[in-house]
Amino acid sequence: QVQLVESGGGLVQAGNSLRLSCAASGRAFGSYVMGWFRQAPGKEREFVAAINFIGGKTSYADSVKGRFTISRDNAKSTLYLQMNSLEPEDTAVYYCAARLGAMVTNRFDYNYWGQGTQVTVSS
């Protein structure tokens, strides 16, 4: 198993940046495909970005492509999400998630989740 703890959320103005972190503990971090998801009030949890074991392959939701960058440091067992040019529509609770196997975008295919960190973007 792996335990995940997100940090780095906060309140920012539109156009600014934030970097989220997800610290992992437990079974070897490098064994997992990692993803970021988000959930806005009244909406379903949605895919944001994913990264494969060694970070050589990534995938992004169309809504964040070109603005967000997912990365990982396996030596530090940490996942990151650099968010630039933030928009009010990015306001949500952001979750990191882990799975064994292929890199996928469906939230139901991820087995391990953090508790989430709130990101609020004001206009």
Side-chain angles (χ1 to χ4, degrees):
Q1 287 193 349
V2 62
Q3 292 79 43
L4 305 172
V5 179
E6 302 95 335
S7 62
L11 172 65
V12 296
Q13 288 189 328
N16 284 353
S17 300
L18 274 178
R19 188 175 81 155
L20 304 183
S21 298
C22 173
S25 60
R27 184 174 171 176
F29 177 71
S31 301
Y32 291 90
V33 166
M34 300 298 297
W36 285 101
F37 293 78
R38 67 186 182 185
Q39 188 167 17
K43 295 187 176 181
E44 292 190 349
R45 193 169 300 187
E46 65 176 4
F47 170 74
V48 175
I51 190 167
N52 73 344
F53 312 104
I54 59 172
K57 183 178 179 181
T58 58
S59 178
Y60 295 93
D62 287 343
S63 59
V64 307
K65 201 171 294 184
R67 300 188 298 122
F68 291 10
T69 302
I70 188 172
S71 62
R72 66 190 297 164
D73 185 337
N74 287 347
K76 295 182 178 179
S77 297
T78 303
L79 175 74
Y80 303 100
L81 184 68
Q82 177 66 43
M83 305 186 294
N84 299 329
S85 302
L86 282 161
E87 304 169 352
E89 293 73 23
D90 296 316
T91 296
V93 177
Y94 283 71
Y95 299 88
C96 67
R99 74 182 306 270
L100 295 172
M103 187 176 74
V104 297
T105 62
N106 189 328
R107 69 183 189 273
F108 296 110
D109 290 325
Y110 283 78
N111 308 104
Y112 306 101
W113 293 85
Q115 83 290 347
T117 186
Q118 176 70 48
V119 171
T120 303
V121 184
S122 63
S123 57

